[in-house]
């Protein structure tokens, strides 16, 4: 499995790093794609060097598009034409999409949350009128996986592995991380 | 509170980033100090830009020294004269020391684990003859705090805040992270 994870200034570093590390433990290929040049400064000041610039990759090469949260990063995902187009393309192609914390707003901006069950960081749904947040840690609706925040990041990543790949692999990775 | 967190190639990125982010949510000053020049490549390939090089900081300016795990990073902490001296100085000065996963081996190298209660990633204790690992997620013995691995990183960070700073602040940060 190949996962594309955009990161931008203000992305939540725990959410980005927990998902990346956990998927790599499942032997997935993961690319952290930066929306700006050079290292990004995440929401609590951790500086991450992307594996590639967004412009250098082709989203069509990936099986799943995963958006970490962080208000600043999610705002940039809402404004970025490439990320918005990739979300619509993944949805149209029946490929997996996942988002956590504030990032479901970027899915909504791309028109992907109507008539879908989803969750997000409690309160973030107030910026999405007419939509109702499910109160589960992780919600799977078709090929859309959403989750709530830093404390649900491990469950989010392990569920992505279980749903898109193999529950046994997910369990093995869980045990190795002592969860 | 000022926390010094050394990072090196092979450090476990989730452990380093979860602790850094969680402590900053408690309004602690945290410095990720790199043992080599430029970004470090963590255990699952995430590239982190240190806040400073180890040589640029004075460990005496900090209240707590926290070692993330990852076998490769912990091996470098065992070999690094500056980190080993800082561990002995913090211990002699009665300042806080914390380590998770494979990093308690670096504490043992500095002579800090004899007659102390501690934990580490299960199996890591086999490299430390005559020492017995406690089977708790987080162990506090005096001003020494140890923990087991990625899945216990949030509890490790929250316990550090509760013990060294304020349990109410720790609880507030926990709730904000949805734990």
């Amino acid at each position: 499995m190949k996962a594309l994870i955009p990161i931008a200034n203000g992305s939540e570093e725990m959410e980005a790093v927990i998902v990346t590390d956990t998927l790599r433990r499942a032997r997935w290929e993961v690319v952290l794609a930066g929306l700006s040049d050079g290292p990004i400064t995440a929401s609590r000041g951790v500086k991450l060097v992307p594996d590639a610039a967004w412009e250098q990759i082709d989203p069509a090469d990936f099986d799943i598009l995963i958006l970490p949260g962080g208000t600043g990063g999610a705002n940039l995902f809402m404004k970025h034409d490439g990320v918005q187009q990739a979300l619509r393309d993944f949805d149209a192609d029946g490929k997996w999409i996942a988002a956590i914390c504030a990032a479901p707003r970027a899915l909504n901006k791309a028109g992907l949350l109507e008539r879908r069950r989803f969750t997000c960081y409690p309160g973030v749904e107030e910026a999405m009128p007419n939509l109702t947040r499910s109160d589960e840690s992780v919600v799977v609706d078709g090929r859309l996986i959403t989750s709530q925040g830093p404390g649900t990041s491990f469950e989010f990543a392990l569920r992505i592995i279980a749903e898109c790949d193999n529950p046994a692999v997910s369990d093995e990775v869980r045990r190795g991380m002592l969860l």
Side-chain angles (χ1 to χ4, degrees), chain A:
Chain A
M1 292 286 295
K2 289 185 68 173
L4 175 58
I5 305 183
I7 50 173
N9 290 323
S11 288
E12 218 301 326
E13 46 269 75
M14 295 191 283
E15 294 167 356
V17 170
I18 289 171
V19 172
T20 300
D21 185 325
T22 303
L23 298 182
R24 285 179 177 163
R25 284 169 182 255
R27 291 171 287 283
W28 285 31
E29 187 177 332
V30 180
V31 173
L32 282 167
L35 297 196
S36 50
D37 282 344
I40 67 104
T41 301
S43 64
R44 270 73 187 182
V46 173
K47 288 176 279 295
L48 301 170
V49 183
D51 299 310
W54 177 271
E55 288 73 21
Q56 292 174 317
I57 57 92
D58 182 354
D61 291 339
F62 294 84
D63 304 302
I64 182 170
L65 178 56
I66 306 174
L67 305 187
T71 304
N75 284 342
L76 291 168
F77 298 155
M78 293 173 71
K79 291 176 189 163
H80 192 278
D81 291 341
V83 170
Q84 289 290 310
Q85 186 62 50
L87 286 168
R88 290 187 295 266
D89 290 346
F90 272 61
D91 185 53
D93 295 345
K95 294 206 285 190
W96 291 95
I97 296 169
I100 186 167
C101 197
R105 286 193 67 194
L107 308 188
N108 187 47
K109 181 81 188 309
L112 305 192
L113 289 190
E114 309 236 338
R115 293 178 294 279
R116 307 293 291 268
R117 289 185 63 251
F118 76 99
T119 192
C120 59
Y121 193 90
V124 166
E125 73 279 7
E126 291 166 16
M128 300 186 284
N130 307 318
L131 295 181
T132 304
R133 174 179 65 85
S134 167
D135 198 19
E136 298 158 74
S137 300
V138 183
V139 173
V140 181
D141 180 354
R143 298 205 152 194
L144 182 69
I145 304 175
T146 50
S147 188
Q148 295 201 357
T152 67
S153 296
F154 280 112
E155 289 308 315
F156 177 57
L158 291 165
R159 187 70 174 271
I160 289 171
I161 298 168
E163 294 284 338
C164 309
D165 187 354
N166 187 321
V169 171
S170 180
D171 285 344
E172 180 195 335
V173 172
R174 177 191 298 275
R175 285 192 299 274
M177 299 195 302
L178 310 178
L179 279 166

